[in-house]
Every structure is written in structure tokens, then in C-alpha cells.
Amino acid sequence: MDFSSIFLSEALGTGILILLGAGVVANVLLTKSKGFDGGWLLITFGWGLGVFGGVYVAYKSGGHLNPAVTIGNLFAGADEYAPGVPVNFTNTLAYLSGQMVGAFVGACLAYAVYKKHFDAEPDEAKKLGIFATGPAIRSYGWNFVTEVIATFVLVLVILAFGHTPSGLGPLAAALLVVGIGASLGGPTGYAINPARDLGPRIAYALLPTQRAANVLPPQRVPADLSAGGGAHRRLAEDPGPDLPANRKDADWRYAWVPVFGPLAGGALAGLAAQAFL
């Protein structure tokens, strides 16, 4: 396969993944959706089935759909990313760029599907949660550790699939993602995929998600909070997800965690696979 074939295969597969994944989160979070308040398990199964469809669509390139999976294969010492696709710099770039572009486009398509529901939703934090992950308890170091561990599990098990052929293929990967979401997803929303988080986060920053009536001027921090103790000052400078409900913020302060955590987890899983599998 040449660069363009790999790029298109990964972009299409990752686009399907994000369209269905962001779509299920929108269905559960947006108040006027028929799937509103469907719960965590609906979200985990939606993401798992998104993986199922995406891997099938990207079968020509091996259906990585995730830079952490590509990096895991690289660190595992693989000769090929997929049959007929040698491991080299050009092909690695094709995988990573295709995944990022596909994630961005898939997020935009999910927005288009739910456009009127976005217009009707006053809570901007919910809208960000459709596109990007965020921690339940903000602690950047421990959030990073969570993403490393969850992605390590994802990539190690995917690499093990190659040594234990079962014929399940994409279904096995889908069930693995459901399991990770159900077991390890609570602390950070289990990005486990840098493209899955960064591409949609960029889309959120660019798309007109706000309702015009809800756009407020920046809120000035009261003097007694901004000049007082360190805890108050940290809240003023880094409010995280606790923003005014109608203020748009892509939470770039946190964005490095779901990018570098999964990359580290994928690399460690590749090294572990090379040593032990």
C-alpha cells in the first residue's frame, strides 16, 4: 500500500469510529435527544461498536484507528503494520495523519447529526464532553497514569491477538474497548487514543456550538478570591470543567493528558509484547 491508500483507509475507519463514538455520547448527554440519560454502559457499548465498524472499514491498513496502536506495533519491533505495509517513517506518518484527520471529520459529522440538539442545549460543558475526554477528579499526574495503564491494556491485548488467532477480528477489539470503558473508564473517560481526543477537541474549538443567547462576556474573578490563598487562586486560574454552563472552553490545560498518556501506554505495551509475547 502507498501513502495515500494507508491515509485514506485509516481516515475512513477512524472517522466511522468517532462518528459513532461521539454520536452515542451526544445521544446520552444532550437533553432533548431521545437517548438522553441512557447511562455509562450505553456509551461504552456505543464506543465498542464504533471500533467494530471502524476496524472493518479500515481492513486494508489493519484498522489501527489509534496512534497508540501504531506506536505499539512500532515499539514491539513489528516488520509490518499490516500485510504488505512495512514499518517505516513514511507509512508511520500515513497512519498518524490519517487517524487525526479522520477523527476531526468524524467529530464534525457527529455535530452535523445533532446540530439542532446542540443548538437547544444550554450546557457548554456537556458539549465539550461529547467531543473530548475530561477527568472526574482533576489531578493531572494521576489522570496521566490512568491513561497510560488503560492504553497499555488496550495495546498489549491487541498485540496478543496476533499470537492467539481466534477469528473474532474486529469483534474482539470491540469487546476489549467495552471492557476497558466499563472497568477503567471512570477516572478520565478513557481516551486511550490521542487522535480520538485531539481531533474532536480541535473540532469543538472551531465549530459554532454556542447558542447566541448564551454567550456571556468573560467573568472577572472577585478580588477576594484572586488575591487570597493559593487554593482560591488555582481555582481562578484553572477552573477545569467547573466553568459557567454557557461559557465555551476546550480545556486545553488538560489536553496533553489524553495525548501523551496513551502514547506512553502504547509504547510500553509494545516493549512488553516484544519481551514477553
Side-chain angles (χ1 to χ4, degrees):
M1 293 181 72
D2 58 14
F3 183 98
S4 60
S5 297
I6 298 169
F7 176 91
L8 289 173
S9 177
E10 288 292 312
L12 185 57
T14 309
I16 293 294
L17 164 64
I18 302 302
L19 172 59
L20 296 181
V24 72
V25 181
N27 196 20
V28 170
L29 292 188
L30 294 177
T31 307
K32 292 188 178 296
S33 170
K34 291 188 175 183
F36 175 65
D37 206 21
W40 184 252
L41 285 181
L42 177 58
I43 290 175
T44 60
F45 273 95
W47 276 107
L49 294 174
V51 170
F52 182 70
V55 172
Y56 264 121
V57 168
Y59 74 95
K60 289 183 179 179
S61 59
H64 290 193
L65 314 184
N66 183 344
V69 173
T70 304
I71 295 300
N73 276 274
L74 179 66
F75 275 75
D79 296 321
E80 294 182 319
Y81 283 130
V85 184
V87 174
N88 57 45
F89 176 79
T90 301
N91 289 342
T92 301
L93 184 61
Y95 275 92
L96 300 183
S97 58
Q99 292 155 2
M100 184 63 66
V101 170
F104 176 85
V105 173
C108 292
L109 292 175
Y111 170 78
V113 170
Y114 284 92
K115 170 64 168 64
K116 300 304 292 184
H117 298 79
F118 276 101
D119 291 345
E121 176 59 59
D123 189 341
E124 199 66 30
K126 282 187 177 182
K127 298 173 189 178
L128 173 60
I130 292 163
F131 291 91
T133 62
I137 298 175
R138 184 165 296 241
S139 175
Y140 294 110
W142 285 110
N143 300 152
F144 178 83
V145 168
T146 296
E147 287 293 333
V148 170
I149 293 172
T151 310
F152 179 90
V153 172
L154 172 72
V155 176
L156 184 67
V157 176
I158 287 175
L159 293 173
F161 288 163
H163 298 282
T164 56
S166 62
L168 292 176
L171 179 59
L175 293 174
L176 174 60
V177 171
V178 172
I180 291 172
S183 300
L184 306 176
T188 62
Y190 70 116
I192 59 175
N193 181 339
R196 170 265 173 275
D197 192 276
L198 183 57
R201 195 182 296 269
I202 293 171
Y204 169 80
L206 297 176
L207 289 168
T209 61
Q210 286 177 292
R211 297 199 304 182
N214 285 331
V215 179
L216 296 179
Q219 301 297 306
R220 187 176 300 276
V221 179
D224 59 335
L225 293 183
S226 61
H232 286 146
R233 184 155 45 247
R234 284 196 300 273
L235 280 174
E237 293 171 352
D238 185 13
D242 300 319
L243 296 165
N246 50 14
R247 176 182 168 188
K248 181 167 182 172
D249 187 310
D251 196 14
W252 292 111
R253 295 169 297 280
Y254 179 77
W256 66 273
V257 173
V259 172
F260 292 105
L263 288 176
L268 290 173
L271 294 173
Q274 184 171 190
F276 302 115
L277 295 183

